[in-house]
Amino acid sequence: MRYETANPCADCGECKGRERCDIVRRPLRRYDGIRLTADGFDCALPVSIDSHNHCAYGCLYCFADNLESHRETAMNAVGQTPLANVEALFSGGGGKRAALLRKALKYDRRNAGGYPTAVQLGALCEPCDNIELNQGWLLGLIDLAVKYRQPVRMSTKGKLLQLKDYQAALAQAPELFWVAFSLITPDDALLEQIDVKAPNATERLRTMASLTKLGVKTSLRFRPMLPGVSDATPKHPKAYKELIERAAEAGAGSVSLEVAFTPGNATADTRRRWGELARLTGIDYMELYSSFGPKQACNRPSYFWTENIMHAVVEEAHKCGMVVGVSDPVWKQLGDSGCCCGILPDDPVFGNWQEESATNQLLLAKNIGKELGPNDIVPAWANEVPLSDMVNAGVGPLIVYARRHTTWADKLRELWNTPKLERGTLNYFQGALVPTRRDEKGDLYYKYAGLERA
């Protein structure tokens, strides 16, 4: 491994001396961390890669730990995605499944620069934590991306990319990498208690600045925004403004926004973690979010409740010259790009993202008055993907049969054509898109109505 230290775990310091990172010492097992994202309804980057099935940070609001199937796979040994599988995907091998992933990545429809769609790295698990520090997996991934000219959009809270080994690897082709730093407050003292073992805001922004200097594109992943944390804290009365300004100074060209949601099916550990958040901030988020309406898989607030923070963050980002991408299903109309990561379509390397997503189509409906039908949000590759490859829909013979005999395209059409569903188009966007007609096939069409700021 190409490390600048002989004993990285002992010298890391990211646990702040509280404990040894025993998780990184567990035996590794094989893990399949390459997949199509189940957020494909409104996501423009359909293929995700996770290096490992576990994260060493333990953030209190972690949404990945709320996914039962993911949590169960991570409870014992740490799993690692074989780099051979990644190379097979990038190189044209890997069989039928890899061929389908390459179709989603537009390997047959590269842009003018010859680049396919970027892969997401770190969608569920942190790629730059102490597990990586002891394994060096990311160094191999960077080499493969450079070898096959595959753009990578990485999400991280780590400071590992300041190390000279990683900087040297990225310097081979910095234009291929876009690093989004997840940050929810500039308050270092508070963040160290919420993102328990992760670097604080100052360290993340220092890492961002070092990558910007190297020529790597960087952005702020301002999500999940939490009241009492992201809007204002006792020591940072304009926390959101300060964070955006500091990110812009560090070189971030865009910001991606989402207001926090709480899990509808909370385990004992989930309740413990959110209870600790309540103790730190004085806000009982679980109780607060339960007041917003009927229980959902992801309890989200009304757009009336989030309008001020969303507009304020967008206004500050624009003042700093940053592109805005809205990951939150609500207030997507405030975004500058149909890619919620904040990637513009004319970016010469990263602009070849998937246009058949509800986010992009909503903005098109807003900007040019386009009427939208299901064909606008169903990519061609979705017709070849069984639902079982995308989501964990429960148990029972009828559900198992449906997952095996229903495609992802079928699921996307169901969401589009059934307004009463929790994640149906009408409810998901809280009325920003409204039905206009249903054709002879039963397909619904929508127009943009937008959300009025009260």
Side-chain angles (χ1 to χ4, degrees):
M1 301 180 193
R2 297 174 295 178
Y3 286 132
E4 63 180 13
T5 173
N7 191 356
C9 189
D11 297 339
C12 166
E14 286 197 4
C15 71
K16 306 171 184 69
R18 286 189 289 239
E19 60 183 282
R20 297 283 296 180
C21 270
D22 65 316
I23 186 72
V24 304
R25 302 299 190 190
R26 297 179 188 176
L28 294 176
R29 65 175 178 81
R30 190 180 182 89
Y31 169 61
D32 185 8
I34 307 174
R35 67 189 181 284
L36 291 158
T37 175
D39 292 324
F41 178 65
D42 58 347
C43 180
L45 300 180
V47 177
S48 298
I49 299 177
D50 279 290
S51 53
H52 300 89
N53 70 332
H54 210 298
C55 171
Y57 287 157
C59 303
L60 296 179
Y61 52 78
C62 178
F63 78 92
D65 278 353
N66 298 328
L67 303 176
E68 184 177 354
S69 59
H70 175 264
R71 186 172 60 251
E72 288 177 350
T73 64
M75 287 181 68
N76 298 311
V78 174
Q80 181 170 279
T81 299
L83 284 170
N85 292 4
V86 178
E87 181 161 25
L89 171 63
F90 293 171
S91 67
K96 183 178 179 180
R97 182 170 180 269
L100 181 59
L101 293 171
R102 285 190 292 274
K103 184 177 289 188
L105 289 171
K106 298 186 182 181
Y107 268 53
D108 57 341
R109 292 181 289 138
R110 296 172 185 259
N111 64 11
Y115 298 104
T117 301
V119 296
Q120 294 189 61
L121 179 63
L124 280 179
C125 284
E126 171 60 56
C128 297
D129 62 2
N130 288 7
I131 299 175
E132 168 58 30
L133 191 60
N134 278 262
Q135 296 298 323
W137 183 96
L138 180 55
L139 294 169
L141 181 281
I142 293 171
D143 287 345
L144 291 175
V146 172
K147 179 179 179 180
Y148 295 105
R149 300 182 77 240
Q150 169 62 57
V152 176
R153 204 281 302 175
M154 185 190 315
S155 177
T156 183
K157 296 179 180 178
K159 63 179 182 180
L160 193 68
L161 297 178
Q162 291 186 55
L163 297 180
K164 65 182 182 182
D165 304 311
Y166 291 87
Q167 294 247 323
L170 292 168
Q172 298 174 87
E175 71 280 0
L176 286 173
F177 301 94
W178 180 307
V179 181
F181 285 85
S182 294
L183 259 173
I184 61 172
T185 185
D187 191 324
D188 283 343
L190 181 59
L191 192 63
E192 287 175 0
Q193 298 177 79
I194 295 175
D195 292 1
V196 181
K197 299 177 186 177
N200 61 30
T202 298
E203 282 290 351
R204 294 181 216 179
L205 291 169
R206 184 178 292 122
T207 308
M208 179 188 289
S210 73
L211 294 177
T212 299
K213 184 177 180 180
L214 195 65
V216 174
K217 286 188 173 71
T218 59
S219 61
L220 172 63
R221 197 168 179 262
F222 197 6
R223 45 194 287 208
M225 291 190 287
L226 284 162
V229 177
S230 304
D231 50 354
T233 72
K235 293 183 179 180
H236 301 264
K238 289 280 188 179
Y240 70 93
K241 183 176 186 293
E242 179 185 343
L243 180 57
I244 290 169
E245 289 175 345
R246 290 177 64 184
E249 291 172 3
S254 64
V255 56
S256 177
L257 314 177
E258 183 173 352
V259 174
F261 61 83
T262 59
N265 299 313
T267 64
D269 183 61
T270 301
R271 288 191 294 271
R272 178 195 63 78
R273 290 188 285 110
W274 283 90
E276 179 64 11
L277 263 175
R279 185 191 67 79
L280 291 170
T281 64
I283 300 172
D284 189 332
Y285 299 100
M286 297 291 280
E287 181 180 350
L288 172 65
Y289 274 57
S290 68
S291 71
F292 293 136
K295 179 180 175 182
Q296 304 176 53
C298 298
N299 294 318
R300 295 184 182 274
S302 161
Y303 73 87
F304 291 114
W305 198 78
T306 64
E307 61 180 4
N308 282 344
I309 187 63
M310 292 294 286
H311 280 82
V313 170
V314 170
E315 289 164 9
E316 290 300 328
H318 285 161
K319 286 179 185 178
C320 292
M322 300 168 79
V323 175
V324 173
V326 180
S327 177
D328 198 299
V330 183
W331 293 111
K332 282 188 179 290
Q333 67 196 58
L334 301 179
D336 301 317
S337 172
C339 174
C340 62
C341 293
I343 303 173
L344 293 174
D346 60 356
D347 186 287
V349 178
F350 290 87
N352 195 21
W353 38 261
Q354 180 176 282
E355 297 175 354
E356 301 92 346
S357 73
T359 301
N360 186 52
Q361 295 302 320
L362 184 150
L363 288 181
L364 285 176
K366 171 192 173 184
N367 295 331
I368 65 175
K370 178 182 179 182
E371 185 183 53
L372 304 177
N375 291 336
D376 295 310
I377 57 100
V378 179
W381 57 263
N383 292 288
E384 303 176 42
V385 181
L387 188 59
S388 56
D389 283 2
M390 302 294 294
V391 295
N392 182 12
V395 296
L398 293 179
I399 292 176
V400 170
Y401 180 87
R403 290 178 67 218
R404 290 178 177 173
H405 295 82
T406 302
T407 67
W408 181 234
D410 294 331
K411 183 63 177 180
L412 290 174
R413 287 182 177 274
E414 179 190 18
L415 293 173
W416 187 264
N417 286 325
T418 315
K420 67 179 181 180
L421 290 177
E422 176 186 321
R423 286 184 64 95
T425 303
L426 183 63
N427 288 329
Y428 189 60
F429 298 124
Q430 295 192 20
L433 291 177
V434 295
T436 55
R437 63 186 176 91
R438 195 181 289 273
D439 67 13
E440 64 279 1
K441 296 179 181 179
D443 286 336
L444 266 181
Y445 287 78
Y446 291 80
K447 69 176 182 180
Y448 174 78
L451 303 177
E452 290 190 19
R453 186 176 183 182

